[in-house]
Amino acid sequence: MTASENPTAPTSAELVVEGATLDGRIVDVVVREGRIAALGPGVGTDIAAVERIVARGGLLTPAFTEPHSHPDKALSRRLIAPLGLPARLTDRPALMQRQRDLKATFTREEVAGRAGDFLRLAAAQGIATVAGQADIDSVTGLTSFEGVMDAREKHLDLLDLRVTAFPQEGLVQDPGAYDLVAAALASGAHRVGGWPNNERSYEDQISHLDQVFALAERFGVGIDINIDYFTDPTERLLEPLAERTLAHGMQGLVNANHVGALETYPDDDARRVIAKVAEAQIAVTVCPTNLSGSYPYRGVSRAAELLAAGVTVAIGTGNLQDNWEPFGNLDPLDLARLAWHAFPLSDEDDEGIETAWRLITEHAARAVGVPHDELRTGGPADFVVLAATTKTDALRNEPGPRWSVRGGRVVASRVGTMWTAPAPEPVRSS
């Protein structure tokens, strides 16, 4: 029913989305006071709106979630040359040292500026929630964390940044990091991170894990941990992580990033570990771009097997134009397309497209620990409008325009063109 057919219905709104595709049908969205006041065919007709998006059949989707990133390091690659640091490195220890040299120069203001650029780009790509790790260690102290928190506060109107206190250099070999991470958690960090594989011995790696769980329990937060980073069969900490998650009753509160070593396990070992990960309700976030880089590369884990076991699998950006990765644009659709090839999801036909979409929406939100709301009347007006009319075309045509709506307001958008092959002329019989 249109407003003209119902004289008691409000005739104005903050935002109307006209002619979008949702679940295979064309609908309008009427937004008032930050919520979806009406959703359905023709409900925006005759509504005077402060803002109007003419979707022309473009997809309407819940906002995207970025489940793994490093906003404190993002866009820092441009600092390498001015600092006189070596430009071409493939050796892992040398890359780690260049990262230390880089972050030793970081200031709170400089980090906040780059992280702010990162967050604005994320919003323009349709991302409403970002999980971001901030390095906390004896090199950067709390500088990176404080800069990221400053950027978060400044951009709350655009998106929600969930910050992980991340002891990049270790908790055993960098003993001052424990107290620094605790200080960050006391100052508002949302989760505690870790990288136990970076410690020097297996005993130290287990100690690192135990310290992460101790911090999580002390501050009542979840865990966002980088574990078994590389395709290295000697990295075997995912199973102890699952066992501790169960022992501490933290099912559903742990996200494991990368998990590349799982690819290299014998099949029987992999099945056993995957079953424990599923039982512990650990989310696994992998980065499809990790198929390149330093040797051994970081891989994409056994994503298809994890999904088949009922594990929440998400995909993230990881690094963006920094010491580790020269490229990246924060577009979740790029990641979903890469995942379709790399996992692979191609054997699932159309269902593979749906799975790829869940990796950047529902699954990503679960990995971060935030709600994922389907679009409905009365629900929050947080969504994205794309130019493509199908999910398949959205994955094919990433340059198209995009509108990001948060709290009922268009907070970011991007312009571009879409290319679609013209429909063939009908064949006429002679």
Side-chain angles (χ1 to χ4, degrees):
M1 180 180 292
T2 68
S4 61
E5 294 169 323
N6 181 4
T8 65
T11 57
S12 63
E14 297 146 22
L15 172 69
V16 167
V17 179
E18 175 187 321
T21 297
L22 177 66
D23 297 330
R25 61 184 186 136
I26 300 296
V27 300
D28 296 346
V29 184
V30 178
V31 174
R32 296 189 186 92
E33 298 180 356
R35 304 194 77 79
I36 297 175
L39 174 64
V43 297
T45 303
D46 301 333
I47 299 289
V50 176
E51 246 180 317
R52 182 176 291 268
I53 297 172
V54 180
R56 295 185 175 87
L59 279 176
L60 179 69
T61 179
F64 303 125
T65 296
E66 168 54 69
H68 180 56
S69 67
H70 297 273
D72 59 327
K73 300 170 184 169
L75 307 170
S76 63
R77 196 173 187 86
R78 62 197 181 202
L79 304 176
I80 290 174
L83 291 172
L85 299 176
R88 291 182 59 83
L89 294 173
T90 57
D91 178 71
R92 195 194 315 172
L95 282 163
M96 286 293 294
Q97 185 56 52
R98 187 172 70 180
Q99 182 60 63
R100 294 186 197 100
D101 293 340
L102 267 174
K103 67 184 173 185
T105 71
F106 290 174
T107 67
R108 180 171 177 169
E109 294 74 19
E110 191 268 338
V111 171
R114 285 188 291 97
D117 291 341
F118 171 93
L119 294 178
R120 289 190 296 277
L121 175 59
Q125 299 289 27
I127 297 169
T129 305
V130 171
Q133 295 184 337
D135 279 20
I136 296 173
D137 49 54
S138 59
V139 180
T140 187
L142 291 173
T143 295
S144 292
F145 167 73
E146 290 168 344
V148 168
M149 291 297 281
D150 289 346
R152 177 184 188 273
E153 187 68 25
K154 186 175 180 180
H155 295 86
L156 283 173
D157 60 327
L158 296 185
L159 47 70
D160 182 20
L161 172 61
R162 314 293 289 181
V163 181
T164 295
F166 178 51
Q168 166 95 51
E169 304 297 330
L171 287 169
V172 178
Q173 66 180 348
D174 188 9
Y178 184 95
D179 289 338
L180 287 167
V181 170
L185 291 165
S187 298
H190 300 89
R191 291 188 291 181
V192 57
W195 182 15
N197 305 86
N198 198 31
E199 304 286 2
R200 293 190 178 98
S201 69
Y202 183 75
E203 291 74 23
D204 288 351
Q205 292 169 357
I206 293 299
S207 174
H208 184 123
L209 264 182
D210 289 337
Q211 289 182 63
V212 168
F213 276 91
L215 284 163
E217 290 191 330
R218 176 179 166 188
F219 289 96
V221 297
I223 292 173
D224 176 36
I225 192 166
N226 297 1
I227 201 158
D228 295 353
Y229 225 92
F230 297 97
T231 49
D232 178 349
T234 68
E235 295 199 343
R236 290 284 183 135
L237 294 177
L238 181 59
E239 189 169 18
L241 175 69
E243 291 167 349
R244 280 157 176 75
T245 301
L246 290 166
H248 288 266
M250 290 193 65
Q251 295 93 321
L253 297 174
V254 177
N255 174 61
N257 298 302
H258 299 292
V259 196
L262 187 60
E263 289 187 34
T264 67
Y265 292 5
D267 289 344
D268 287 346
D269 285 357
R271 279 191 289 271
R272 183 189 71 252
V273 174
I274 289 171
K276 286 187 180 180
V277 169
E279 183 185 1
Q281 300 172 40
I282 293 174
V284 174
T285 297
V286 298
C287 301
T289 54
N290 282 166
L291 288 171
S292 62
S294 60
Y295 181 82
Y297 68 89
R298 287 179 276 178
V300 291
S301 196
R302 292 183 180 235
E305 293 164 64
L306 288 161
L307 285 166
V311 175
T312 294
V313 177
I315 48 176
T317 292
N319 298 90
L320 179 88
Q321 298 178 37
D322 62 5
N323 178 62
W324 303 96
E325 170 62 67
F327 305 123
N329 60 13
L330 276 178
D331 189 348
L333 299 181
D334 276 359
L335 298 179
R337 185 175 64 253
L338 284 172
W340 189 88
H341 290 288
F343 279 13
L345 300 173
S346 53
D347 290 344
E348 299 183 34
D349 197 34
D350 289 345
E351 181 55 31
I353 300 295
E354 294 297 328
T355 300
W357 207 265
R358 286 193 291 272
L359 301 175
I360 56 177
T361 52
E362 178 185 349
H363 282 211
R366 244 188 265 160
V368 177
V370 296
H372 172 74
D373 293 316
E374 294 297 334
L375 301 179
R376 57 179 178 82
T377 301
D382 300 327
F383 52 81
V384 181
V385 182
L386 304 172
T389 59
T390 68
K391 291 175 182 176
T392 302
D393 268 347
L395 298 181
R396 290 169 174 159
N397 291 286
E398 69 277 9
R402 196 172 299 182
W403 296 265
S404 303
V405 176
R406 178 172 170 83
R409 189 170 59 89
V410 178
V411 296
S413 62
R414 49 177 253 192
V415 296
T417 58
M418 293 204 26
W419 179 87
T420 303
E425 291 291 331
V427 177
R428 294 194 177 107
S429 57
S430 55

